[in-house]
Amino acid sequence: MIAAYILIQTGPGKAATVAAALRGLPGVVEAVSLAGPYDVIARAHAPEIDELAQLISSRVQAPGGVRRTMTCPVVHL
């Protein structure tokens, strides 16, 4: 299982709407609004890295208001 944190920049006033939309997506475990350079952070799981990439490119980036994402895969050192 691959886990990742996805940092999301949104348009003005869109953080709450984007976070709510992401919470309903399969594979997204959590999505909350933030204060700082990123507006939303989401935690996602997928069986393989390719499925995680598909989730992010086709679903996480889809809601109106998403400007940019940065994916941070979790590694266990």
Side-chain angles (χ1 to χ4, degrees), residues 10-57:
T10 69
K14 298 291 184 181
T17 304
V18 168
L22 295 179
R23 282 186 210 111
L25 295 178
V28 175
V29 178
E30 183 178 17
V32 295
S33 300
L34 300 173
Y38 291 92
D39 304 303
V40 175
I41 187 167
R43 187 167 50 109
H45 292 161
E48 297 181 4
I49 193 76
D50 291 339
E51 290 180 42
L52 180 65
Q54 182 67 24
L55 169 68
I56 294 165
S57 65

